Amino acid sequence: IMRKLLIALILLVSYSCLAQDKLPPPKEVPKDYRPFYRDMIKEKKRLDRQLKKEDWDITLDPIAAVHTDIGLRSLAAESNWGKPILLPPAIDQRMTSECTCKVHLKTADTAGAFDHPDLQEGQEKGANYTNSPTLKDIHGHGTHVNGIAVAKDLGLVYSLVKKGLVTHSGIKVLGDQGQSSFNWVANMIGTEDIDNKKRIDNDQDVVINGSFGGGTNKIAVVENALKKSSDLGVMYVFAAGNTGGPVNYPGNSDYGITAGSLDQNLKASSFSSRGPELDNATPGRNIRSTYKNVS
């Protein structure tokens, strides 16, 4: 039972993102942060125009790409409103004391390596499947997503990172502007399965998170790779999307668990994509986590 709980928690937590229903005007963000926030919006609009011309399959939307709060430097006193819902204290205590299975989390996103000091514990070597020259998280989205699960004193399963049961790595499948192609995704899945098989053969479960999507059409080359990987025993969780409309691909794939977003009232976030492909919805609005260039 506890083995299933641990894997389920990692699957559930990985979708959450720091987001609003829409980006607030600068006057509604912390005063000291406003110049940086304005610059982020301006740069995002410029990048959107550039990436649209380049015709990428996947790009991160403004809700995922622009942070609305810079209060992320010290995480020691931080907490997430969703954690006691997903992991009440009594269950948290049981998980920490009773779990014995090993799980490796691969965050397929904008980073092949995490520089944040609160993500060093349990981190293993990652990989890069993009045209970026670096494993580092230039964008920041991957660092944020990974931290929700495993960051020191903040991540949902950090207590099991401390026990050595949960390890994690960054898989860079989104470029430095948050862009990707489905060919990159398919190549990542097939190549990572070499390592995944070794882990599974050594009785370590593998969970791969993908908080990205593009369009609603299923992509054959990715579906084929996901089927082979799932047959191997790898578990996938995908974000439903932030369009407020139908679930994006690969969220609507036949070979993954799909998570939508809930707000603090436990209602579907207005931005969350929705449809019959959803398997669950988890806290996903105004979630605090690690971010790039923070110490």
Side-chain angles (χ1 to χ4, degrees), residues 106-123:
K106 295 186 177 185
T107 301
D109 213 287
T110 60
F114 301 105
D115 291 341
H116 197 289
D118 291 344
L119 295 178
Q120 299 312 300
E121 200 168 351
Q123 184 178 172

Side-chain angles (χ1 to χ4, degrees), residues 118-241:
D118 291 344
L119 295 178
Q120 299 312 300
E121 200 168 351
Q123 184 178 172
E124 297 185 5
K125 184 178 179 180
N128 182 4
Y129 294 92
T130 75
N131 59 5
S132 171
T134 179
L135 287 172
K136 291 185 177 182
D137 191 358
I138 305 300
H139 185 280
H141 187 259
T143 297
H144 179 84
V145 171
N146 197 61
I148 296 166
V150 299
K152 184 176 185 287
D153 297 328
L154 184 75
L156 197 69
V157 294
Y158 174 65
S159 62
L160 299 180
V161 174
K162 287 195 297 183
K163 286 184 68 173
L165 293 177
V166 173
T167 54
H168 62 96
S169 59
I171 306 300
K172 193 164 187 173
V173 74
L174 302 180
D176 294 336
Q177 286 78 48
Q179 83 285 12
S180 188
S181 75
F182 285 123
N183 285 332
W184 286 357
V185 175
N187 180 44
M188 176 273 292
I189 294 167
T191 305
E192 285 299 309
D193 270 349
I194 299 171
D195 174 70
N196 295 338
K197 186 177 187 305
K198 293 177 182 178
R199 293 180 184 275
I200 292 169
D201 287 345
N202 286 315
D203 200 30
Q204 183 181 43
D205 292 302
V206 179
V207 176
I208 298 182
N209 172 79
S211 293
F212 57 81
T216 58
N217 293 330
K218 294 182 179 180
I219 308 301
V221 65
V222 178
E223 284 292 275
N224 291 337
L226 284 171
K227 182 182 186 306
K228 291 179 182 178
S229 189
S230 297
D231 289 344
L232 190 66
V234 182
M235 289 162 281
Y236 288 85
V237 59
F238 296 116

Side-chain angles (χ1 to χ4, degrees), residues 21-34:
D21 292 348
K22 60 181 179 179
L23 291 177
K27 67 180 181 180
E28 294 183 12
V29 304
K31 186 176 181 179
D32 292 344
Y33 181 54
R34 288 174 195 170

